Structure formats: structure tokens, C-alpha cells
């Protein structure tokens, strides 16, 4: 029994604290996302663009609009309000759609590490599956993750059923025995 307790403490990453849970419904647009912003019935008011490093996108007639850190609904409302305030369209119905999400990275004890397309609702286990699955040496109970948050990078432990977030870097540990 004592041996089991000692071995559990020796597991790779045993000292990591769990990463704060991520809710995919709270997704915010980030640098590198490819988005489409369009106004219903007004084809000339549309843009399909990748969010650049400064986080702002160019939209016809209104210029630069900050997109980074906003939900799709918030960006939609911001563009509609700006179109109305500048007397361009009085009743703009704007939709924002994420076409390509920022990737996630999976490294360590997986069959094919690398960057993979994020999909809404993706869990750590689905990310590992995208990387070809665990290697035969993989520690499968949890993994190390580096997550970008507004205040900077956060490091912690992620479990197989936990949601991943775009830009996450997940490292699958090697078993020691």
C-alpha cells in the first residue's frame, strides 16, 4: 500500500494543478482565426479574413474593427452598431462565423505529434486521437498543458475529458514503468 502511494507521487506531472476548465460556449475570437463577417442582403459589406497580430480586421466603409477577445455575437453587434452610427446602414443584420480556428498542438507520447485543427467541443482525448492516438509508452491519465489566457500563459494539468482551447499545447507524458 505504501509502495502504491509512493509510485503515485512519482507519476509524471503529479505536482501540476488542474488547468481552469474551459467552456467552448465562451469562445472568443483570437489572432490567427479566419472569420467571415457579412451583412444580410448587402453583399458589398462582407469580409473573409484571418485575424492579424494586432487583433483588428478591416471591414468595408467602416475601417478597422477590433475582433480579438470578442465572441462572434459581440463582434456582430459592434459592426452593426458602427454601420448604424456612421449612417451607412440603419438596420444592419450582421453575422460572424469562424471559418478556421487557431490550431492546437499535441506533443510527446503520441503517434504523430504536431499542430491540428481545433474543433468546437474538442477534448484532450479527441486531440490525442487527432495525433494518431497514444504511443505504447504514454501516460494516459492526464497531460501537461500550456494555455494562452488574457493575462499570459497558464501551465497545468488537463484530463482526457476536459475541453481543449485553441492555441493549447498539450504534452503527453511517458510512463516511467
Amino acid at each position: 500500500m505504501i509502495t502504491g502511494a509512493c509510485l503515485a507521487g512519482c507519476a509524471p506531472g503529479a505536482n501540476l494543478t488542474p488547468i481552469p476548465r474551459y467552456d467552448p460556449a465562451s469562445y472568443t475570437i483570437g489572432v490567427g482565426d479566419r472569420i467571415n463577417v457579412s451583412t444580410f442582403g448587402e453583399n458589398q459589406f462582407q469580409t473573409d479574413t484571418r485575424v492579424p497580430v494586432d487583433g483588428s480586421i478591416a471591414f468595408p466603409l467602416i475601417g478597422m474593427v477590433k475582433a480579438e477577445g470578442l465572441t462572434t455575437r459581440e463582434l456582430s453587434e459592434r459592426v452593426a452598431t458602427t454601420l448604424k452610427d456612421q449612417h451607412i446602414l440603419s438596420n444592419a443584420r450582421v453575422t460572424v462565423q469562424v471559418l478556421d480556428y487557431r490550431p492546437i498542438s499535441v506533443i510527446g507520447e503520441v503517434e504523430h505529434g504536431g499542430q491540428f485543427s481545433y474543433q468546437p467541443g474538442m477534448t484532450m482525448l479527441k486531440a490525442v486521437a487527432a495525433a494518431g492516438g497514444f504511443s505504447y509508452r504514454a501516460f494516459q491519465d492526464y497531460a501537461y498543458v500550456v494555455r494562452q489566457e488574457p493575462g499570459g500563459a497558464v501551465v497545468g494539468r488537463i484530463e482526457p475529458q476536459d475541453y481543449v482551447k485553441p492555441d493549447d499545447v498539450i504534452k503527453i507524458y511517458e510512463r516511467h514503468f
Side-chain angles (χ1 to χ4, degrees):
M1 185 136 155
I2 293 174
T3 304
C6 289
L7 291 177
C10 295
N15 60 341
L16 289 174
T17 58
I19 198 91
R21 299 248 183 224
Y22 172 65
D23 176 9
S26 68
Y27 181 79
T28 58
I29 297 167
V31 171
D33 284 338
R34 190 172 133 237
I35 61 173
N36 179 278
V37 184
S38 59
T39 52
F40 181 75
E42 302 289 338
N43 292 339
Q44 69 272 28
F45 296 109
Q46 177 176 319
T47 188
D48 182 337
T49 187
R50 193 160 300 278
V51 179
V53 174
D54 70 0
S56 296
I57 60 166
F59 194 79
L61 295 181
I62 63 173
M64 300 306 286
V65 179
K66 186 74 169 173
E68 181 183 19
L70 301 177
T71 65
T72 55
R73 177 183 296 261
E74 289 168 338
L75 180 57
S76 171
E77 290 169 357
R78 179 172 286 178
V79 170
T81 299
T82 304
L83 286 167
K84 183 178 180 182
D85 290 349
Q86 292 185 8
H87 306 291
I88 298 169
L89 290 175
S90 60
N91 189 22
R93 290 180 285 170
V94 179
T95 60
V96 176
Q97 181 180 14
V98 179
L99 302 174
D100 294 318
Y101 293 88
R102 302 179 307 278
I104 54 120
S105 299
V106 184
I107 60 174
E109 292 300 323
V110 291
E111 292 299 322
H112 310 286
Q115 284 193 334
F116 302 93
S117 296
Y118 169 81
Q119 297 299 317
M122 183 179 251
T123 62
M124 184 203 104
L125 196 55
K126 288 181 182 177
V128 169
F134 292 109
S135 75
Y136 71 92
R137 295 182 304 264
F139 181 79
Q140 300 180 19
D141 294 348
Y142 54 83
Y144 171 93
V145 65
V146 178
R147 177 167 290 168
Q148 298 303 317
E149 295 290 356
V154 177
V155 175
R157 181 177 71 219
I158 188 169
E159 304 205 3
Q161 72 280 3
D162 291 343
Y163 290 114
V164 297
K165 184 177 181 181
D167 282 336
D168 275 0
V169 177
I170 301 164
K171 178 183 178 191
I172 305 300
Y173 289 110
E174 179 181 1
R175 281 183 288 128
H176 290 299
F177 48 88

